[in-house]
Amino acid sequence: MAGHGATTDRALEMSEVTIIGLGEMGSALAGAMVRAGRDVTVWNRTGAKAEGLVQDGARLAASVAAAVGASPVIVICVSDYAATRRVLEGSQVVAALAGRTVVQLSTGTPQEARDTEAWIRGQGADYVDGAILAWPSQIGGAATTILASGDEAVFRRHEALLTTLAGNFTYLGAPVGLAAALFSAVLSYLAGRWIGICHGALICEAEGISVASFGGMLGDLSGILGEDARNMGRIIETGRYGNPESTLKTAGEDIGRLVQQAGEAGINAELPRFAAGLFRRAIDAGHGAEEHAALIKVLRSAA
């Protein structure tokens, strides 16, 4: 295709999509588009990161303004929303935004999504806010999930292009903060899970158990753990905490023994102390006979 591998300027023919930001994730996004045969323009502050993509057929823009002007759809994936604004706020870039659609795939909060949408619309452009629930190696996969929120007509207009990045590019609704909010909720779960796995690894190491086998066992339990997550979500939404199979008090006592185990093994006890403290507060508040999910009552009261 004419122009591939060359540095673009505003005079060149339009490409289908521009990818701004070529870190690990941004490069994966651009690579998926190129492999799918899309006509792609890329820009990154450090142009060397684009070399492989250019060799594969992408066009390298000489400036952010040229990158924005090169395509009707601008996918931006930089460190955060503040970095997005820094990239796009130059006067020449702002002038090029009118009539474009900006798809934000950087990480941020729901309020940042709302603020960014207002600013982008103020420049005469459309906006879709997105959140990636995948690793870079999974981008382009049929089962890969990216969440989207904002104006539905805008999303639907570009849906076929965006599903190149993720087969499960899921539209959540018109409130533009939905994708960032759900990403934050998932990240909260993952933070606890990652810390929990690392503490479990400490226990295994102290007792001479293979950490890889521990990880494999958790993988084998994924079906049960997934159903537990669904169950907790239902319980919290309905507020039905009674008649549990295992009570918050029982779980709290077991977690308290993790503090004892850490002391005996001489390993870090930060996680079990924190968790045991939360469960103890919930028990002392009178929720011991309820479902584990009743812990949220303590978290709500601490707001």
Side-chain angles (χ1 to χ4, degrees):
M1 190 173 295
H4 273 204
T7 299
T8 67
D9 58 36
R10 297 290 295 276
L12 290 178
E13 66 180 86
M14 296 283 284
S15 56
E16 289 180 89
V17 60
T18 287
I19 310 293
I20 292 178
L22 297 177
E24 290 295 326
M25 185 61 78
S27 293
L29 297 171
M33 287 288 191
V34 170
R35 288 192 300 275
R38 301 289 186 175
D39 191 347
V40 182
T41 295
V42 297
W43 181 86
N44 190 70
R45 193 174 302 278
T46 304
K49 290 189 175 181
E51 290 177 358
L53 291 164
V54 170
Q55 290 174 2
D56 290 338
R59 313 176 189 205
L60 175 61
S63 66
V64 182
V68 170
S71 309
V73 179
I74 315 302
V75 175
I76 185 161
C77 184
V78 290
S79 58
D80 53 30
Y81 286 54
T84 293
R85 290 287 289 270
R86 288 194 295 271
V87 168
L88 297 181
E89 281 182 334
S91 58
Q92 291 184 322
V93 182
V94 168
L97 279 172
R100 268 57 180 176
T101 295
V102 175
V103 181
Q104 169 73 285
L105 294 182
S106 309
T107 302
T109 68
Q111 185 58 51
E112 286 180 312
R114 290 186 282 270
D115 292 343
T116 303
E117 179 190 46
W119 184 81
I120 291 292
R121 285 185 171 180
Q123 314 315 313
D126 291 323
Y127 183 77
V128 173
D129 200 78
I132 301 172
L133 298 182
W135 301 116
S137 61
Q138 297 168 325
I139 295 300
T144 299
T145 296
I146 298 179
L147 307 177
S149 53
D151 188 302
E152 183 171 7
V154 174
F155 173 78
R156 298 300 177 197
R157 188 162 68 243
H158 304 295
E159 185 173 10
L161 174 68
L162 294 175
T163 53
T164 302
L165 302 176
N168 191 31
F169 210 119
T170 303
Y171 177 72
L172 299 175
V176 75
L178 289 178
L182 196 52
F183 177 84
S184 296
V186 171
L187 185 60
S188 171
Y189 164 77
L190 290 175
R193 176 176 173 268
W194 292 332
I195 297 169
I197 288 174
C198 288
H199 185 82
L202 292 180
I203 295 172
C204 291
E205 289 173 346
E207 297 295 332
I209 300 168
S210 165
V211 177
S213 296
F214 165 58
M217 183 186 73
L218 290 178
D220 293 339
L221 290 172
S222 60
I224 295 172
L225 298 176
E227 181 51 39
D228 182 60
R230 293 186 187 93
N231 185 54
M232 287 188 69
R234 289 191 294 265
I235 288 169
I236 292 171
E237 183 162 303
T238 61
R240 297 173 181 170
Y241 300 97
N243 303 313
E245 288 193 74
S246 175
T247 66
L248 189 151
K249 181 176 184 295
T250 298
E253 290 173 346
D254 287 341
I255 291 170
R257 277 186 280 276
L258 287 177
V259 179
Q260 176 185 343
Q261 187 277 333
E264 292 170 352
I267 61 175
N268 185 289
E270 289 176 82
L271 173 61
R273 278 199 300 265
F274 171 72
L278 283 178
F279 274 82
R280 173 48 55 191
R281 282 169 52 200
I283 293 166
D284 291 345
H287 307 306
E290 298 178 315
E291 284 273 3
H292 306 159
L295 190 67
I296 196 170
K297 297 179 181 182
V298 172
L299 296 176
R300 285 171 178 157
S301 67

